[in-house]
Each structure stands twice: as structure tokens, then as C-alpha cells.
Amino acid sequence: MSKVHELGFLKEKIQELKDQGVYRKLPVLSTENGPEIIINGKSAINLSSNNYLGFAGHPRLKKAAIEAVEKYGAGSGAVRTIVGNMDIHEEM
């Protein structure tokens, strides 16, 4: 079996960014993106969400999304100009 390349050059570049103080580690969100969230393990009021109407966690929208994933899967498969619109796009 061959060894997987370690990508050392990427590790070096990341270390350079850290040494320069410009490496940014993204925060980890562990709850629904609502008005109150748990981010990096701490409770916070979310003032930067684009979910200002609160639809992302609405039970009817979540149910519809689950049904769409069960019917269509989690991806489009290709861009619409190649494979066409899904019937749910036309319905909208």
C-alpha cells in the first residue's frame, strides 16, 4: 500500500499564517441558527444571523425540507442548464 501524501506544504502555510497572527479559526455553532445559540460551547444572543424571520426552525419548513430530501436527495446532481429544473422549482 502506498502512503497518502502528508501535504506538508499546506501545514507549513497554515503555520506561517498562525505565526503572522492572521490565521482565523472559524467558530463552531452547535445549535439551530436562531436568536439564541451555542457557539464555541457558550450561550450567546445571535445578532448576526440572516434568519431574522425565524423561518429556519419553523416546524412546517423543516418538515417540508425533510420530505424534499427524502424524495430528491441532498443535491441537484448538476447545474440546471444541464439537467433542468426540478418539478419543485416549477411549482414555486
Side-chain angles (χ1 to χ4, degrees):
M1 271 180 107
S2 66
K3 279 181 114 177
V4 175
H5 192 286
E6 290 291 324
L7 301 177
F9 70 97
L10 289 177
K11 291 178 183 177
E12 290 172 14
K13 291 294 181 187
I14 290 171
Q15 189 58 52
E16 284 177 24
L17 294 173
K18 288 178 180 179
D19 293 344
Q20 296 167 5
V22 295
Y23 179 80
R24 181 171 179 224
K25 187 172 179 185
L26 295 175
V28 176
L29 181 66
S30 57
T31 58
E32 180 179 291
N33 197 352
E36 295 179 39
I37 57 175
I38 304 293
I39 190 162
N40 291 337
K42 297 179 183 174
S43 179
I45 295 173
N46 186 2
L47 300 175
S48 60
S49 172
N50 61 1
N51 182 27
Y52 52 88
L53 296 176
F55 289 155
H58 192 281
R60 284 179 55 197
L61 184 60
K62 288 168 61 173
K63 182 178 183 290
I66 290 167
E67 290 171 0
V69 168
E70 287 173 346
K71 180 175 180 180
Y72 300 101
S76 62
V79 295
R80 290 172 31 207
T81 55
I82 294 172
V83 76
N85 282 339
M86 291 181 167
D87 56 358
I88 57 174
H89 293 127
E90 295 296 316
E91 187 178 329
M92 283 182 53

